[in-house]
Each structure stands twice: as C-alpha cells, then as structure tokens.
Amino acid sequence: MLTYHPALRFKQGEYTAIAKVARDIQRQIQPRFILPPPKESDPEKGRSLTPDEIAYETGQRIAKNWPFDIAFLDAQYVASFLGDTGLKRLFRTAQGRNKKLVAVATVDDLFNPIYMTFLRSSAPRIAVFIPYEQVDTSRLLAGIKAIGCSPQDCVVFIDFNKAPFELEGVEVAVAAIFDELAAAAQWHRLVFQGSAFPKTNPAKAKGAFSVPRHEWDVFHAAIKECSVSPDLISYGDYGPDSSEIKFSRKKGGRAPYRQIRYTVERSNIVVRGDDAGTQASAMEYVCRTIIKSGHYLGRGYSYADEAIYQIGNGRRSAGTPTMWRELNMAHHMTHIVRELGAQVGETFERGLISDDSVQYPLWAEVMEDASEES
C-alpha cells in the first residue's frame, strides 16, 4: 500500500497523536514534522522557545514520540532564526535521537554546504520541499548534485498549499507536475501534500460544518491522469486542517474554539460547541453530537474514537485544546491509513474497548455514611 505522509505541525497535540495511534497504523506513516515559527508559543512551555531549546526540545520530543521509524524534519520556518550553527545543533540533536530522521531542505538550502552534514548514509538521504508553483527541475537537479546526493536517494515533497482543489479539471495540472518531475530523474519518492480545508473556521457556535476532502479526490484523479507509476507517488495532507503554517495573530489572541474535526469518507466534519458556558459542557455536547451524527465509526476505530465516546457520555474529562487537536489528528491519521489499505485489500485491527465505568455520587456516599454514624 502507499505510505501516508501527513504534514504535522510539531506541536504537542500532533506529536502525541502519532505516538499513540495503533502500532499497525504507525507502520504505514512517515510524517513530515514542521517546526513552527519561533514566535509561536510552545504549548508545553507556555512561551516561545529559545534557539537552544528548539534544538534540545525537538530532539527530546522525537526521542519520546517517534524514535525508531522514518520521519522528515522540516526546519524552514526556524532556519533564519537559528542560523547555520543553530541548524547544525538542531539536526545533530534530532538525528541523534532517531537515526532514520531525514532532513527536509528547500531548493535554495541545497546550495548551502551546511546541509551536506545532514545527509543520511542510507536512502532516503534527504528530502526537498517545493511549492507547486515553483517547480524548476533544472535548479532542483543542480541542487541535488551540489549537495552530493543522487535523485534516487531523495524524496520530493510537492506542496499544493492554496491550490484550487475545488475546480473541475485541476487534477490535470497536478498530474502534469508529477510527469515533469518523473521525466527529469528517478526519485526515491514523490509526495503529494495539500489541503482543501479553509483557513477560517467554518463552523458556528453549537453548529456543524462539512468540509469536502477535495485534496483526497484530486490526488487519486491525478494518479490516474499521469504516466508515473503509482508506486512512486505517496499521499500526504495536513490532517483535518488548513495547510497554512504562519497564522496572523491579533495581540492577546483569543480562546480556542471548543470543537473537534472528525474525518469521514468524503469530508471532515467540524462540530463546534457553545462559546459560552463551561468547557466541559461544550465538549460533552461536541462529542455527543459526533456519536449521534450517523458518521461515528465506533469506539474501537481508534483510541481517539474511544475518548470521544467517553467524553460524550460524561465519563471522561473534556481535556484541553491540545487534547482536542490530538483527537482530531489521531482519528484522521487512522482513517487515512485504513482508506489507503482498503485500496489494496489490506485491513487493520480495531482497538480494544474499555469497560464503561460507573461514577458513584461522592457526596451521596458521604452523607449516607454520616447518617449511619449518627
């Protein structure tokens, strides 16, 4: 089956999700971890990270959450902040924690000698990130040669950020890019990455909104349209989220929406709770709405689905925005891997279901005991 390459913002909810999904699902995933812009607040620290912390914390989080399998580390949003010395510290630390971690370079980075020190000894040795509007095979090949690598050892991520996936016939343009790259050289792998999810939250308070997964449909249509072997091209998306990385933020920010984005066959369903009232009641409403929607895939589908069931039935804490993002991503990654597997007749085990717990009223027990003593 085709390997799944989700683009994950290297934030707590997303790297926790990939660490906790079922092992047979994990084996089909090779994520591209994107380090967020340095000015963004780190959820674990509650503030922006220093250059030294970016290097150290990234390494530690990789060691804890993805230490053994192939992954790709994309530092383009922190590169100017770290400088060459900081980048060297970052990749030395991160690749020391995971020997299969592959550095992601932009085409311009290929001409920076520092990236030669990040090459792995075995394939894939390096990956290159290219926005679809900037595909230049001559410059790409010159950069691969400059860094001392061969195309066969290189993974190319083609990013379709802001591509008009909803337009009829857009798959022809996507297929043409696949054909152009494949005609230029024999690559280790070409990876499609994109998202049709809007940048602005589409759901209203106490409402739901279905976002079509156009990126999934366009990818498969383009595979049929192009002349490249399907075995050479892999699918990737940004989860049930926009492909934007740099979000503009108003001073002071705002409270995160109380919502879960639930992936189903042809869409991502955004269910949002009330902005007023307690967080617990809002998220219980969100999860209960998903369970009763007719789209819920069952408690054993993933650990996230079990958590949604427990929260929706008032048996588990509603958690935090970081946990909601974790549940979004864990369910989504499981869903995509199951879909890709179904295309080649491969199935995956469903998870274990925990027994429903019974919560006895504490105060009733205390009053009853007090009555007996008196």
Side-chain angles (χ1 to χ4, degrees), residues 3 17 60 70 88 117 131 195 202 205 208 238 253 292 300 350 356 360 374:
T3 302
Q60 292 302 104
I70 291 176
K88 192 171 183 178
T117 64
S195 172
Y238 286 79
K292 295 181 178 180
R350 294 178 70 90
D356 288 346
Y360 294 101
S374 62

Side-chain angles (χ1 to χ4, degrees), residues 18 42 183 221 255 257 275 288 291 353 368:
I18 199 168
D42 181 80
Y257 291 132
D275 294 341
R288 189 167 60 248
I291 294 167
I353 297 174
E368 185 176 330

Side-chain angles (χ1 to χ4, degrees), residues 184-196:
Q186 181 179 344
W187 305 98
H188 185 80
R189 186 166 297 278
L190 301 176
V191 180
F192 167 100
Q193 292 210 296
S195 172

Side-chain angles (χ1 to χ4, degrees), residues 30 62 157 303 352:
Q30 292 180 7
I62 286 171
F157 287 93
Y303 85 86
L352 297 175

Side-chain angles (χ1 to χ4, degrees), residues 279-289 311-315 318:
Q279 183 169 285
S281 63
M283 290 309 295
E284 184 174 326
Y285 164 83
V286 166
C287 294
R288 189 167 60 248
T289 299
I311 295 169
N313 285 280
R315 299 188 176 105

Side-chain angles (χ1 to χ4, degrees), residues 262-328:
Y262 193 79
T263 303
V264 295
E265 185 177 358
R266 301 298 299 276
S267 63
N268 294 307
I269 301 173
V270 185
V271 182
R272 179 174 161 188
D274 201 336
D275 294 341
T278 66
Q279 183 169 285
S281 63
M283 290 309 295
E284 184 174 326
Y285 164 83
V286 166
C287 294
R288 189 167 60 248
T289 299
I290 291 172
I291 294 167
K292 295 181 178 180
S293 67
H295 297 290
Y296 180 59
L297 294 172
R299 298 171 63 182
Y301 192 79
S302 73
Y303 85 86
D305 288 86
E306 171 67 3
I308 289 170
Y309 175 86
Q310 296 291 345
I311 295 169
N313 285 280
R315 299 188 176 105
R316 177 173 171 173
S317 166
T320 64
T322 292
M323 191 183 87
W324 311 335
R325 174 172 285 273
E326 176 191 335
L327 300 181
N328 294 341

